[in-house]
Amino acid sequence: LITQGKVENKSALHKGRSTVIMMFVALCCLLVLGAVSAEEKKSYRGYMVLEVKAGNEEQVRTLRNLEENYPDVMFMSSPNLVTDTEMLVPPGRVLDVTNVLKSAQLQYVVDTADLQADMDAVMEKNELNAMRNRLASRTGENVTPHLLSHNVFRTYEQVVDALAALADSSDLVQLYVAGTSVDNLEVPVVEVGNGNRVIFIEGLAHAREWLTTASLLYVIDNLLENQATSSLLQDFTFVIVPLVNPDGYKYSWSTNRMWRKNRRRISGSCNGVDLNRNFDVDFGNVGVSSNCQSDIYPGTGPFTEPETQNLRNLFNFYNASMTSYLSVHAYSQLLLYPWGYVNSNTDPNPPANLNKLINVGSSMLESLNNFLLGTAYGVLGYAASGASEDWALTMNSNLYAYCYELRPRSANQGGFIVDPDQIVPSGQELYNSLLALAQGIMDDPTFSNMPAPSKAVPFPRLRV
C-alpha cells in the first residue's frame, strides 16, 4: 500500500508538472503572439515623401514604370503633366528611386524625410488634446462652444459615441445603420433636418483620410448649433455617412496608418478594394489597376463590396428627394465635378447640368480657401473610373454632384497626416460651402417642389 501510495503520488506529481509546463507553454505562446501583434503595426520610420514634377511624356512614362516596377513605393498621386507626383519611398528603396529620377533628369524635392516622425508628432498632440478634453469634462470647464470637441481625431468606436451624443441632443437628428462592412462593422448614417430637399454627403471611403470624418462631425455639430437662427433644417434634410469604410479606418488606427482600401480578403498577398473605383460608372477603364495589391484596385466588378452596396441602397431610398450628392475626400484642396472618368479636357458628353455645376460650384468655392474647381483631368491631369459622384449623376441627372478633396494642398503641408488643429478650419469651410450649395439649390426651380423623404426608413436604428 505504501508502494502503491508512492506511485500514485509520483503520478500526481507528474500530472502537476505537466500542467505547469502546459501553462508555461501557453503563456509563452501568448507572449509571442502579443509580440508578433505589436510588430505587425507598420512603421514608417525613415520613409521619405518625394515630390516630382514631370515635364514631358517620356518623364511621365518613367514615373509610371517606376510605379509598376517598385510596388513597395506608394504613389499618392498618379503621374501626369499637370500636377506634381508625390510618392512614399521606403528607406531601402531611396537610392534605387533617386537613381531612376536622376537618369530621367527628373528633379525632386524631399517633402518629408521621416514620415513616422510626423505621424508620432500628430498622435502625441491628438492624445494631449484628448487628455485636456477629458480633464475639462471632469471639471466642467467649457472648452468648446459645440456639443463635441473638435480638436481630436476619433477611433471608430469614439465616432459612433460622438454621433450618439449628437443624436441625443436634438429631435432633428436620427441615427441609423446603413448596413455592415466586410468585417461586419456597422456603418452609421445620420439624418439631420426636416426639409423636403435632401443633401447627401458621404466620407471616408478611403481609410487614411481621417480629416474627412472629423470635418463631417464638425458639420453635423454646426448644423445643430445654428438651427435656432437658421431655416436651413426646415428646408433641407442632410443625410450624412461619415464612415463609409469602418474596417479600413480601424485598420489605419491599429496596423497601417496609410491604408486606403477596405479589408476584403482576396488572396494570401492581397487585401482590399478601392471603394471609390467600385461604382457602376465606366467601371475598370481608367485610373485603376488589375493588380489586387494596388491601392487603386477596383474589384472584380461594380458594387462587389458591401460598403458601396450600402451607399447604393441609401441613394435609392432618398433619390426622389435628393438634390445633391457629395463625396468628401482628402487631400489637395479641390472641388471636382463630373465626369471624373473622362481622360481629356474635351468632354464629348458633358453632364446635362454642367453649367449649373460650374455656377454653383463657383459660389461654393468662395468659402473654400485656396481650392480649385474643375474636373479631375482638368485640375489633376488624370482621370478615374468608378467614382461615387459620377455614378450618382448617371442615376439622377439633376443632381449637384461634387467630390471634395479637403486640405492640405500637398504632402509638404501634411498630406494625410494633418495636425488635429486643422479639423475646425476644415470643418468650417466645408460647412460654409454647404450653405452656398443650399442657396444655389433654393434658387433652382428644378427643386422647388420636392417630395419629403419617407419617414418609413428601412434601415435599423444604430445601437450604442
Side-chain angles (χ1 to χ4, degrees):
L1 290 174
I2 294 174
T3 304
Q4 183 180 357
K6 287 181 179 179
V7 170
E8 289 174 350
N9 287 339
K10 286 181 180 179
S11 177
L13 183 61
H14 287 312
K15 289 180 180 178
R17 285 175 176 170
S18 298
T19 302
V20 170
I21 291 170
M22 290 175 65
M23 291 175 65
F24 177 75
V25 170
L27 178 61
C28 288
C29 288
L30 287 172
L31 291 172
V32 169
L33 286 172
V36 169
S37 177
E39 290 172 0
E40 284 178 352
K41 184 160 188 177
K42 174 80 173 178
S43 172
Y44 286 92
R45 185 68 60 202
Y47 276 64
M48 300 176 69
V49 178
L50 304 183
E51 187 173 339
V52 187
K53 177 65 176 176
N56 55 57
E57 288 291 348
E58 182 62 32
Q59 290 180 332
V60 170
R61 281 192 290 273
T62 297
L63 291 174
R64 288 176 179 164
N65 289 337
L66 190 65
E67 184 177 17
E68 182 177 347
N69 295 332
Y70 297 113
D72 55 341
V73 177
M74 181 186 296
F75 277 68
M76 294 183 288
S77 54
S78 181
N80 65 90
L81 289 173
V82 178
T83 57
D84 292 352
T85 299
E86 296 174 341
M87 64 182 80
L88 180 60
V89 185
R93 190 64 76 187
V94 171
L95 186 60
D96 294 333
V97 170
T98 53
N99 283 341
V100 170
L101 298 179
K102 290 173 184 175
S103 297
Q105 296 183 323
L106 277 158
Q107 295 185 344
Y108 64 89
V109 175
V110 177
D111 283 342
T112 302
D114 183 357
L115 186 61
Q116 189 63 51
D118 291 355
M119 291 177 174
D120 292 344
V122 166
M123 293 311 295
E124 286 171 12
K125 187 164 188 177
N126 200 68
E127 182 54 33
L128 181 61
N129 287 349
M131 290 173 60
R132 288 171 175 165
N133 294 343
R134 290 192 292 268
L135 179 61
S137 177
R138 293 191 194 103
T139 60
E141 179 186 350
N142 185 15
V143 294
T144 173
H146 300 90
L147 180 66
L148 302 177
S149 296
H150 295 287
N151 59 350
V152 291
F153 295 108
R154 292 172 164 85
T155 64
Y156 167 78
E157 292 79 9
Q158 290 168 341
V159 170
V160 172
D161 287 344
L163 293 173
L166 291 168
D168 289 342
S169 72
S170 173
D171 293 336
L172 290 172
V173 181
Q174 305 297 326
L175 190 54
Y176 302 106
V177 178
T180 55
S181 62
V182 168
D183 286 340
N184 208 35
L185 288 178
E186 292 181 328
V187 177
V189 54
V190 187
E191 188 181 280
V192 188
N194 288 323
N196 289 5
R197 304 167 182 86
V198 168
I199 293 178
F200 189 95
I201 313 172
E202 45 95 345
L204 205 97
H206 294 149
R208 62 194 178 196
E209 298 169 9
W210 291 7
L211 188 63
T212 61
T213 297
S215 297
L216 288 173
L217 284 176
Y218 181 91
V219 164
I220 299 168
D221 206 347
N222 231 33
L223 286 170
L224 296 176
E225 181 191 359
N226 295 323
Q227 62 180 292
T229 58
S230 172
S231 63
L232 188 65
L233 297 185
Q234 303 307 314
D235 295 322
F236 290 90
T237 294
F238 289 81
V239 178
I240 302 176
V241 189
L243 270 174
V244 169
N245 180 10
D247 299 344
Y249 187 62
K250 288 195 73 169
Y251 191 75
S252 73
W253 276 83
S254 67
T255 308
N256 186 345
R257 176 63 183 85
M258 295 297 286
W259 188 258
R260 169 184 168 100
K261 301 182 288 182
N262 75 348
R263 293 297 298 159
R264 167 71 66 193
R265 278 63 166 174
I266 298 169
S267 68
S269 61
C270 282
N271 290 293
V273 168
D274 183 346
L275 296 178
N276 206 40
R277 302 291 190 275
N278 191 241
F279 287 81
D280 192 8
V281 55
D282 196 54
F283 179 83
N285 285 332
V286 62
V288 297
S289 172
S290 60
N291 180 358
C292 62
Q293 293 181 321
S294 168
D295 270 347
I296 52 175
Y297 174 66
T300 56
F303 291 116
T304 55
E305 305 311 296
E307 297 88 353
T308 53
Q309 294 167 21
N310 293 337
L311 291 180
R312 180 181 60 185
N313 294 340
L314 283 168
F315 180 93
N316 289 338
F317 176 73
Y318 286 105
N319 187 20
S321 304
M322 199 176 294
T323 63
S324 56
Y325 187 105
L326 309 175
S327 183
V328 183
H329 291 260
Y331 58 94
S332 289
Q333 291 179 277
L334 304 172
L335 184 63
L336 306 175
Y337 54 79
W339 304 113
Y341 58 80
V342 174
N343 207 10
S344 167
N345 279 321
T346 304
D347 188 349
N349 298 295
N353 63 344
L354 178 61
N355 289 336
K356 290 182 180 181
L357 290 172
I358 294 173
N359 291 338
V360 172
S362 297
S363 297
M364 296 166 68
L365 210 65
E366 294 177 10
S367 303
L368 298 167
N369 296 318
N370 298 316
F371 275 56
L372 299 175
L373 174 69
T375 63
Y377 188 85
V379 297
L380 288 171
Y382 60 90
S385 299
S388 61
E389 71 280 358
D390 282 354
W391 169 79
L393 193 58
T394 66
M395 301 299 292
N396 184 337
S397 61
N398 292 321
L399 293 180
Y400 289 96
Y402 299 98
C403 173
Y404 287 83
E405 292 286 354
L406 302 181
R407 57 176 64 196
R409 174 58 58 83
S410 63
N412 66 9
Q413 297 171 320
F416 300 113
I417 315 302
V418 292
D419 193 289
D421 288 353
Q422 292 298 307
I423 295 171
V424 170
S426 176
Q428 188 64 53
E429 64 186 357
L430 177 58
Y431 174 78
N432 289 339
S433 74
L434 294 177
L435 298 183
L437 170 63
Q439 186 59 56
I441 293 168
M442 293 294 288
D443 293 340
D444 188 339
T446 305
F447 302 113
S448 58
N449 293 300
M450 299 295 289
S454 173
K455 296 300 181 184
V457 177
F459 308 103
R461 296 274 184 174
L462 182 67
R463 299 183 303 276
V464 181

